[in-house]
Amino acid sequence: MTKIPALQTLQLITLERQGLTQTTPFGTGKEAVLTTLERLAYLQIDTLSVIERAHHHTLWTRIPDFKPHYLDELVEERKIFEYWFHAASYLPMQDFRYALPQMLHVKQSDSHYYNADKKVMKYVIDTIRTEGPKMARDFESKKNKEGSWWNWKPAKLALERLFMQGDLMISGRSGMQKTYDLTERVLPSSINTTPPTPLELAEYLVKTTLHAYGFTTLKQITHLRKGDTLKKNVNLVLQSLLEKGEIQKVSVEGLSSVFIQSDLLERSDNIAVSGIRLLSPFDNSIIHRDRVKQIFDFDFRLECYVPKEKRQYGYFCLPILFGNTFIGRVDCKAHRKDKKLELISLHIENTDLPPELWIPSFADAVKRFASFNGCESLQLTQVSPSGLRKVINKALSD
């Protein structure tokens, strides 16, 4: 086992792989969205809109000229699709076959969360086959139809079940309203629809994780994926890559075995990072809480799911990344009617940093973020430590 000297090496490698060390790491425009998604492997979709939605925020962080309609267009062009990764996500269409095991599991499971009525499912899919793509609300108008034995809520559940088991795909969106169509009418004919073997699925998970992060652990690869068979196959894939010399097993204090791409160890000295980035709470780079704590010594928890009285930092805090260090978090809200971005509470935890090193960059990042959210003014409500309020307010107003 190779021993590497410092966590800084892993920090730099993973930030570079995640596209957080350069201004336009994956290019610009719509093509950059697809390139980014192919690097990250998935993009979590979130419905919360206290600020711009997480899937848009994550892309904007890496693509400064990102426009939300790029995602819609890529779905319509059949280059990306929606399905479940560890949560609802956008995925590269080229990876469709690796979603098939999950679809088959749902189809064969009577106890799955989406326990829809089979008669309603048949009605819904027959309607879509005959009349074309539908949204859930398209069934709502029929809920009061005389003699009807169903209403729109069972139909919505049926749509989700048919989607999760692969009979339907999401062919487009209007905002957060999904349009469903038959899979055979959405899926390009060139896409491989052969279900992967358990070993092929494990290889996909290992290689996409390494591609996205540069290094990984067994726990990260199998995150929210159960089963001894998967763990066994993941270990087999890792062992094969070790024997080929494509990865190395490294020792890092406080961590279980870390597997890292061999070529990245040699290039890590040439990675440089600077500036401030306000990350989405659902950004791929921080979605694994344990990993962020171990590698960056930053304990991040999204508190919108925590009762208000138990929140320590705020409802929807954004981690603040300065170079390769997380220096704090800021709870934000976009008041869209007033076109104002409010920094409800700013918490700076790395107080050893001289303010002149990071505040100018922070102010610039906040101004750009406000513009991204369609806001023209800023309001700083609470700051900790409070002694920073005056200088930060000045920077924000300059």
Side-chain angles (χ1 to χ4, degrees):
M1 183 181 288
T2 304
K3 183 175 178 63
I4 59 177
L7 286 177
Q8 184 179 10
T9 301
L10 293 183
Q11 293 170 357
L12 294 173
I13 286 173
T14 200
L15 291 175
E16 190 273 335
R17 297 305 296 171
Q18 282 285 299
L20 297 175
T21 62
Q22 301 175 43
T23 304
T24 54
F26 305 118
T28 59
K30 185 169 65 176
E31 288 305 312
V33 175
L34 183 58
T35 303
T36 302
L37 189 54
E38 289 173 346
R39 169 65 66 84
L40 300 182
Y42 75 97
L43 180 68
Q44 183 167 336
I45 302 170
D46 192 67
T47 58
L48 295 173
S49 59
V50 63
I51 55 173
E52 183 60 73
R53 299 186 194 278
H55 42 290
H56 297 154
H57 184 175
T58 298
L59 289 169
W60 172 82
T61 299
R62 296 158 175 83
I63 309 168
D65 67 343
F66 170 76
K67 300 293 187 297
H69 64 80
Y70 290 161
L71 276 173
D72 298 330
E73 290 173 7
L74 287 170
V75 170
E76 291 169 2
E77 293 167 8
R78 309 306 186 230
K79 293 180 179 178
I80 65 176
F81 73 104
E82 292 188 35
Y83 195 64
W84 198 263
F85 197 72
H86 72 265
S89 301
Y90 288 106
L91 299 151
M93 187 65 79
Q94 66 188 24
D95 293 346
F96 178 82
R97 69 184 293 245
Y98 298 103
L100 290 172
Q102 173 73 4
M103 293 176 181
L104 184 61
H105 171 74
V106 175
K107 182 169 286 192
Q108 295 175 342
S109 175
D110 291 330
S111 60
H112 193 269
Y113 174 77
Y114 298 107
N115 191 22
D117 185 287
K118 292 182 179 180
K119 290 182 179 179
V120 180
M121 288 170 62
K122 183 178 186 305
Y123 178 86
V124 166
I125 202 164
D126 285 349
T127 300
I128 291 174
R129 179 176 288 110
T130 303
E131 300 180 9
K134 298 288 183 185
M135 296 182 179
R137 69 187 184 193
D138 292 327
F139 295 93
E140 187 174 4
S141 62
K142 301 180 182 181
K143 66 181 179 179
N144 295 319
K145 183 178 178 181
E146 187 177 352
S148 177
W149 47 266
W150 61 277
N151 60 47
W152 80 277
K153 287 184 179 179
K156 185 176 181 180
L157 193 62
L159 284 168
E160 288 296 316
R161 172 77 187 219
L162 290 163
F163 163 71
M164 287 298 295
Q165 68 183 35
D167 294 309
L168 298 178
M169 290 182 72
I170 294 170
S171 60
R173 278 180 180 264
S174 176
M176 293 304 291
Q177 294 290 320
K178 296 174 282 192
T179 298
Y180 299 87
D181 199 358
L182 301 179
T183 294
E184 63 254 34
R185 295 202 295 233
V186 177
L187 195 65
S189 59
S190 60
I191 295 298
N192 185 351
T193 56
T194 306
T197 65
L199 188 61
E200 285 177 325
L201 179 61
E203 184 177 27
Y204 164 76
L205 293 173
V206 170
K207 290 188 173 181
T208 53
T209 304
L210 285 169
H211 189 58
Y213 296 97
F215 66 89
T216 190
T217 62
L218 176 63
K219 183 177 181 180
Q220 184 178 350
I221 296 170
T222 57
H223 180 61
L224 298 181
R225 296 176 183 272
K226 300 178 181 179
D228 292 335
T229 300
L230 177 61
K231 289 183 179 179
K232 176 184 175 182
N233 284 323
V234 166
N235 276 318
L236 286 173
V237 173
L238 289 170
Q239 186 59 42
S240 175
L241 294 175
L242 283 169
E243 291 172 359
K244 294 176 182 177
E246 295 181 23
I247 63 173
Q248 294 184 38
K249 192 175 183 179
V250 301
S251 174
V252 181
E253 186 177 353
L255 290 177
S256 56
S257 297
V258 173
F259 302 91
I260 187 167
Q261 290 180 230
S262 299
D263 61 320
L264 296 182
L265 274 175
E266 301 168 4
R267 294 195 285 118
S268 62
D269 290 340
N270 299 321
I271 300 172
V273 291
S274 62
I276 291 276
R277 292 176 185 268
L278 306 178
L279 299 180
S280 166
F282 297 101
D283 194 284
N284 298 55
S285 64
I286 58 143
I287 201 66
H288 299 283
R289 184 181 178 189
D290 291 346
R291 177 181 173 277
V292 174
K293 173 63 176 173
Q294 292 168 334
I295 301 300
F296 292 94
D297 193 26
F298 183 64
D299 191 5
F300 179 75
R301 182 184 186 188
L302 180 58
E303 295 183 326
C304 63
Y305 305 117
V306 176
K308 186 176 181 179
E309 63 275 10
K310 294 184 179 181
R311 290 175 195 152
Q312 184 179 358
Y313 297 106
Y315 179 82
F316 203 74
C317 277
L318 313 182
I320 305 171
L321 178 66
F322 178 53
N324 62 319
T325 303
F326 286 95
I327 65 171
R329 61 200 88 196
V330 57
D331 188 23
C332 294
K333 179 177 177 62
H335 299 275
R336 293 178 176 87
K337 183 178 179 181
D338 301 325
K339 295 188 176 182
K340 178 179 67 180
L341 179 69
E342 181 183 5
L343 310 185
I344 301 171
S345 57
L346 169 62
H347 302 269
I348 299 301
E349 296 152 52
N350 191 329
T351 54
D352 293 334
L353 279 174
E356 61 270 18
L357 283 183
W358 61 270
I359 288 180
S361 180
F362 174 75
D364 179 64
V366 169
K367 290 172 185 177
R368 287 186 288 106
F369 188 65
S371 178
F372 171 60
N373 279 273
C375 296
E376 298 173 355
S377 63
L378 293 165
Q379 177 184 332
L380 179 60
T381 304
Q382 182 178 335
V383 183
S384 175
S386 58
L388 293 171
R389 171 185 289 276
K390 184 176 181 180
V391 66
I392 293 176
N393 259 327
K394 184 179 184 305
L396 291 175
S397 62
D398 285 347

